Amino acid sequence: MNKHHTFIDLFAGCGGLSLGAAKAGFIGKLAIEYQENAFNTLQYNLINSKRDKIRSKSNVLNFNWPEEIEQKNYDINTFIKDHGEYLKGLRGEIDLIVGGPPCQGFSNAGKRKEKDPRNQLYKSYLSFVKLVEPKILLIENVAGIASKFSKTSKSYKDNIISKLKKDYHVDGQLLTSNIFGVPQKRKRYIIIGFKKTTFKDKKIDITEVFNKIKKDSIEFTEKYSVVKNSEVFNITNTNVVQALSDISRSRKTPKPYTDENAKLKAYTTFEYSKGKLSAYQRLMRYSMNGETYPDSHRIGDHKKDTIFKYQTLIDITRQNPDRVSFNFKPEEFEKAKWRSKKQIINVLKEQHPSPTLTTCPFDYIHYKEPRILTVREFARIQSFPDWFEFKGVYALSGSESYKTPRYSQIGNAVPPLMAESIIKTLKSYL
């Protein structure tokens, strides 16, 4: 019997859950993702054989992708229709199905539309589960999935649990990513199910499972190790400066940055710092093999008036380091000559974790440099290691906005460290 456990990732995005599962010791069977650029990122880092050396050094197991299934992006409903019999044939083979159905219709940060068609995609996840019958399932979504749209309606969380409880011990809880070493206070609702027939000889209490997840996160962050008997990293309570300072300017000379998506514009980048690093920075740079410059660390050339606005907001924030709120008062916006309709702008605070990252880079300002965050800084805050490269356009760009740019891929992802810790706990029940 294969000593490694198997998983399938649905609505996989660029691979946050897949990376977490792989680092928890699981081998991937399939990853279903509709958007091409997001799938290309996942494929390049976790499926494509060209990354084998880095994956093996970082203790990341390969996907065992079936030869009869083409490696490409898929619509989940089309995949179920075309490959239903294949999926039935996987029964008994798949230990875990993970996934985060699109959340825009649930999110309290968005317009929260009950009739948003994306709200129904959880049904596709359930259809997939019914065909494959995994031993354990995990669903990740925004906190809003547990909120009712009206007094008379059920929450989508309740709908999901009611449809699963016949065959699964199932329930959900709200978890915050920073307890898993992620430098971000990202609240996510997690639903976990254990197949009753598989665990008939074990007493499964999902509340106790969540208690174990939170208890296990303490040792996970205090004694994180990439591979057995390797360096141990204490990544407990990681803050923004511990995550980003080694790729900030800090007296470094900027270098021109160009790639296939940035040939004509004036972008720059900074090399890695060579001084003392935080445990989190050492972890993020593990397996980088002496690379001088981080990938996707593309810094834009802001206009002078934009720099003034950003610097003024940074100064206001630094005058009161204990200030909890990231929101600015009207008079503070006036001081910064802020004329934008955008009134939600976050200056990251050095000694705190970041607020929840969205898909929009213009919502966040660097903690000491008057600029937005780079793709690599977004990735650092989400706990993607530096060897993990992102593919496709960087940000929304007119007709190309549908392609899921790099910022959106990261903003939509589950933080890999959060996924890894949770899945390691689930693995202990198998």
Side-chain angles (χ1 to χ4, degrees):
M1 183 177 178
N2 192 328
K3 65 178 180 178
H4 298 303
H5 298 293
T6 57
F7 77 96
I8 292 174
D9 192 352
L10 305 180
F11 308 100
C14 67
L17 276 168
S18 284
L19 177 56
K23 295 189 79 172
F26 284 68
I27 290 181
K29 190 69 174 179
L30 293 167
I32 309 301
E33 169 53 37
Y34 177 68
Q35 296 291 350
E36 183 178 4
N37 277 341
F39 182 79
N40 288 345
T41 294
L42 185 154
Q43 182 185 41
Y44 178 78
N45 290 283
L46 299 176
I47 302 172
N48 195 310
S49 61
K50 292 178 181 178
R51 307 292 285 174
D52 276 349
K53 289 183 179 179
I54 289 179
R55 285 204 308 264
S56 62
K57 187 175 179 182
S58 299
N59 198 29
V60 176
L61 300 179
N62 202 348
F63 265 72
N64 185 19
W65 195 280
E67 292 184 4
E68 60 267 46
I69 305 295
E70 184 181 358
Q71 283 186 28
K72 68 173 187 176
N73 54 304
Y74 287 98
D75 171 80
I76 187 171
N77 293 319
T78 302
F79 189 92
I80 290 172
K81 181 180 177 181
D82 294 345
H83 301 286
E85 290 304 313
Y86 170 81
L87 294 176
K88 287 181 183 178
L90 294 178
R91 288 177 180 174
E93 179 182 340
I94 303 303
D95 295 291
L96 174 68
I97 286 183
V98 299
C103 63
Q104 291 88 342
F106 307 128
S107 178
N108 293 320
K111 295 182 179 179
R112 194 166 165 77
K113 295 181 179 179
E114 184 173 9
K115 295 183 179 179
D116 190 319
R118 292 170 295 188
N119 291 357
Q120 302 304 314
L121 284 171
Y122 77 89
K123 295 178 181 178
S124 304
Y125 181 105
L126 298 179
S127 296
F128 207 103
V129 165
K130 189 173 182 180
L131 287 168
V132 177
E133 297 184 1
K135 297 170 186 174
I136 302 176
L137 60 86
L138 183 155
I139 300 174
E140 178 272 352
N141 219 288
V142 293
I145 198 174
S147 301
K148 297 179 179 181
F149 281 91
S150 67
K151 291 182 180 180
T152 57
S153 68
K154 276 187 174 182
S155 69
Y156 277 85
K157 175 265 294 185
D158 290 334
N159 286 334
I160 292 169
I161 289 174
S162 67
K163 287 177 169 60
L164 286 169
K165 65 182 181 181
K166 178 183 176 181
D167 298 314
Y168 286 83
H169 301 291
V170 60
D171 207 346
Q173 279 192 25
L174 193 67
L175 297 175
T176 307
S177 62
N178 64 305
I179 72 169
F180 304 102
V182 180
Q184 179 188 183
K185 282 197 170 182
R186 188 181 189 90
K187 293 183 178 180
R188 283 299 182 267
Y189 199 86
I190 305 295
I191 296 173
I192 292 170
F194 284 72
K195 190 166 177 58
K196 291 179 179 179
T197 54
T198 301
F199 295 92
K200 60 184 177 181
D201 297 329
K202 294 182 180 180
K203 185 179 180 181
I204 299 294
D205 182 333
I206 301 299
T207 299
E208 288 304 312
V209 173
F210 276 103
N211 288 341
K212 187 172 183 346
I213 286 171
K214 286 178 273 193
K215 182 180 178 182
D216 289 352
S217 72
I218 298 172
E219 184 173 4
F220 177 83
T221 56
E222 289 181 349
K223 299 178 180 179
Y224 185 93
S225 60
V226 180
V227 292
K228 192 174 182 180
N229 299 323
S230 72
E231 181 181 0
V232 174
F233 304 89
N234 186 337
I235 55 173
T236 305
N237 298 322
T238 305
N239 59 37
V240 165
V241 74
Q242 290 169 335
L244 303 182
S245 64
D246 67 315
I247 54 176
S248 298
R249 176 186 289 272
S250 187
R251 297 186 298 278
K252 289 177 282 191
T253 302
K255 171 196 172 185
Y257 183 101
T258 58
D259 67 10
E260 69 276 14
N261 290 294
K263 293 180 179 178
L264 302 177
K265 295 184 179 179
Y267 294 107
T268 58
T269 190
F270 299 128
E271 63 182 8
Y272 282 116
S273 292
K274 298 174 182 176
K276 186 176 181 181
L277 304 177
S278 71
Y280 187 83
Q281 290 164 359
R282 295 199 309 275
L283 176 59
M284 292 296 101
R285 287 165 61 168
Y286 192 87
S287 296
M288 286 305 290
N289 302 321
E291 288 287 337
T292 304
Y293 294 92
D295 173 69
S296 292
H297 193 39
R298 186 185 82 165
I299 299 167
D301 185 17
H302 293 311
K303 296 178 181 179
K304 287 184 178 180
D305 61 337
T306 300
I307 292 174
F308 171 82
K309 293 173 185 177
Y310 287 172
Q311 186 62 58
T312 302
L313 295 181
I314 291 171
D315 293 341
I316 290 170
T317 302
R318 295 190 126 199
Q319 286 169 7
N320 186 0
D322 296 324
R323 176 173 169 174
V324 176
S325 174
F326 289 87
N327 298 325
F328 290 95
K329 301 173 184 176
E331 57 269 26
E332 292 172 333
F333 276 131
E334 184 63 31
K335 184 177 181 180
K337 298 181 180 179
W338 191 264
R339 302 291 183 260
S340 172
K341 292 181 180 179
K342 179 184 284 295
Q343 298 296 299
I344 300 176
I345 190 79
N346 300 285
V347 175
L348 301 192
K349 304 190 71 158
E350 294 171 87
Q351 305 304 320
H352 295 268
S354 163
T356 300
L357 293 185
T358 65
T359 58
C360 180
F362 301 102
D363 288 349
Y364 309 92
I365 302 173
H366 191 274
Y367 61 92
K368 70 174 183 179
E369 298 173 19
R371 59 174 177 82
I372 63 171
L373 301 180
T374 67
V375 165
R376 180 50 54 191
E377 287 166 333
F378 251 56
R380 280 279 187 96
I381 290 172
Q382 278 278 64
S383 77
F384 281 95
D386 286 11
W387 62 260
F388 196 97
E389 297 181 23
F390 298 89
K391 301 301 176 182
V393 296
Y394 279 74
L396 299 179
S397 178
S399 62
E400 293 189 319
S401 62
Y402 71 94
K403 292 185 177 180
T404 313
R406 299 185 194 191
Y407 282 107
S408 295
Q409 292 176 38
I410 299 168
N412 286 329
V414 178
L417 282 176
M418 181 180 188
E420 180 184 355
S421 184
I422 293 172
I423 293 171
K424 277 185 173 177
T425 298
L426 299 183
K427 182 182 177 183
S428 69
Y429 289 86
L430 290 168

